[in-house]
Amino acid sequence: MKLFKYLPLLLCMLISSCSHAEQREIKSSDFMKDLKSGKSITVVNKIILDNVDFTSTENYQILGTQLQNVIEGNISFVNCVFMSDVTALGKKDNASVSTKFNNNLQFVNCDFRGTVTFDNAVVMGTTNFNKAKFLKPASFNNMTIWAKDSYFSEIEAEDNVSFIYSSFYGNLYIMDGKFKGDFSLQNALVNGKLLANGLQCSKAAEFDMSSIRGRAIFNYSTFEKQASFIQARFFDDADFVETNFSESANLEGTYFFGKLNMGDKVYPCNREMKDLMKY
């Protein structure tokens, strides 16, 4: 009977012990060897001490004068802390090396203490950076994602985050992000919906020359500095209900092929912003 009396306490101690063990520090070599052999990886509740370089698996294919490193397995990091840089861009014998991820790429609720670079990466599966925290610049420029949905919601960024010239061939979710540095989606293609409601941008927010094929939603977002949409193209309806532009919004040459919903007024289709101001 005494044993049963202390059983709940023993179970709590066991669970606590297991949880603590799962928080152990590891090195990138602990999972890179599996990726190099074509296996999928799942890393949960770990602290990765050194640089993570996805080009280091060295499964190269030639793209003109450049190399593309191909990773076949699914990649999943959940509740992890990256103490150093994470990159999918490198060099090999003076040739530039980018990375192609043939399956899913997931970093959910992860804390990045170094720089993050996924420039020129191609992802064939779902990309998920929901609830990521970036202490230093995070670059996803010229990235191509083929999945139905790409998730970058509830991000907290202390420095600049950019998706310049990136292509999303499905929906892009960047809802409820908090960006203390510059945020850029310049010259980007979103072939589906852009869900950008609830954004909080403390510095410049740039959507210049972006092309949004599906509905764009910026409801309840706050732009504390200039928000720029110069020559952006919205091919479906665009919603800016209770969107707060604290300083200014540059909509020069912005074109709306669908309806523009500003909450108190809905503007007609197929108009440049300067023409909509006549209504």
Side-chain angles (χ1 to χ4, degrees):
M1 293 298 293
K2 288 184 177 180
L3 179 61
F4 285 106
K5 178 180 178 181
Y6 293 106
L7 185 59
L9 179 60
L10 291 171
L11 286 173
C12 288
M13 293 175 64
L14 179 62
I15 293 170
S16 176
S17 176
C18 291
S19 177
H20 179 73
E22 290 175 351
Q23 297 293 331
R24 68 184 178 86
E25 298 173 340
I26 63 172
K27 292 185 176 181
S28 60
S29 57
D30 294 340
F31 51 81
M32 278 299 181
K33 58 186 177 183
D34 288 334
L35 281 181
K36 191 168 186 176
S37 64
K39 297 178 181 178
S40 297
I41 62 167
T42 299
V43 183
V44 181
N45 293 333
K46 297 297 188 293
I47 300 172
I48 297 92
L49 297 173
D50 57 338
N51 290 344
V52 177
D53 183 357
F54 288 107
T55 69
S56 66
T57 59
E58 297 185 335
N59 181 25
Y60 299 138
Q61 61 183 18
I62 299 174
L63 291 178
T65 59
Q66 301 179 350
L67 297 174
Q68 185 178 64
N69 184 53
V70 181
I71 294 178
E72 297 292 347
N74 286 300
I75 296 174
S76 179
F77 293 91
V78 181
N79 299 327
C80 290
V81 179
F82 295 86
M83 299 302 295
S84 195
D85 299 341
V86 177
T87 187
L89 185 68
K91 282 188 177 264
K92 174 73 173 179
D93 299 330
N94 295 322
S96 177
V97 182
S98 60
T99 305
K100 181 182 180 183
F101 301 91
N102 273 341
N103 275 289
N104 299 331
L105 181 65
Q106 176 172 273
F107 294 85
V108 176
N109 198 32
C110 288
D111 187 342
F112 297 92
R113 306 293 175 85
T115 60
V116 175
T117 307
F118 281 87
D119 294 352
N120 303 329
V122 176
V123 186
M124 304 305 294
T126 299
T127 301
N128 191 339
F129 278 80
N130 279 353
K131 297 185 178 181
K133 296 178 177 64
F134 299 110
L135 184 63
K136 293 184 178 180
S139 178
F140 302 90
N141 299 327
N142 201 38
M143 194 175 185
T144 302
I145 302 178
W146 289 94
K148 179 182 177 182
D149 297 297
S150 299
Y151 300 97
F152 292 85
S153 292
E154 298 183 69
I155 283 176
E156 295 182 16
E158 298 293 326
D159 212 314
N160 300 339
V161 176
S162 59
F163 297 88
I164 300 170
Y165 284 107
S166 290
S167 298
F168 303 89
Y169 286 96
N171 304 315
L172 174 59
Y173 297 81
I174 55 173
M175 301 178 295
D176 300 315
K178 297 179 181 178
F179 300 96
K180 293 184 178 180
D182 293 342
F183 174 82
S184 181
L185 198 71
Q186 292 184 76
N187 291 280
L189 166 66
V190 180
N191 208 45
K193 298 177 181 178
L194 173 61
L195 287 304
N197 40 303
L199 291 181
Q200 296 181 35
C201 296
S202 299
K203 292 187 177 180
E206 299 168 332
F207 300 87
D208 301 339
M209 301 184 72
S210 58
S211 179
I212 315 301
R213 299 284 175 172
R215 188 168 189 166
I217 302 176
F218 291 88
N219 299 342
Y220 308 106
S221 291
T222 299
F223 300 96
E224 296 182 15
K225 299 296 182 181
Q226 178 166 300
S228 183
F229 297 85
I230 297 172
Q231 295 186 24
R233 294 292 182 265
F234 294 91
F235 288 88
D236 204 326
D237 295 347
D239 297 302
F240 289 84
V241 178
E242 294 193 37
T243 305
N244 181 17
F245 297 99
S246 299
E247 189 169 292
S248 64
N250 192 335
L251 294 151
E252 181 181 353
T254 307
Y255 204 96
F256 297 89
F257 291 88
K259 293 178 181 179
L260 172 61
N261 180 11
M262 302 290 286
D264 58 338
K265 193 170 181 62
V266 177
Y267 295 94
C269 307
N270 296 317
R271 296 289 191 280
E272 190 177 340
M273 190 64 204
K274 66 178 182 179
D275 296 327
L276 289 175
M277 292 299 96
K278 300 173 184 177
Y279 288 85

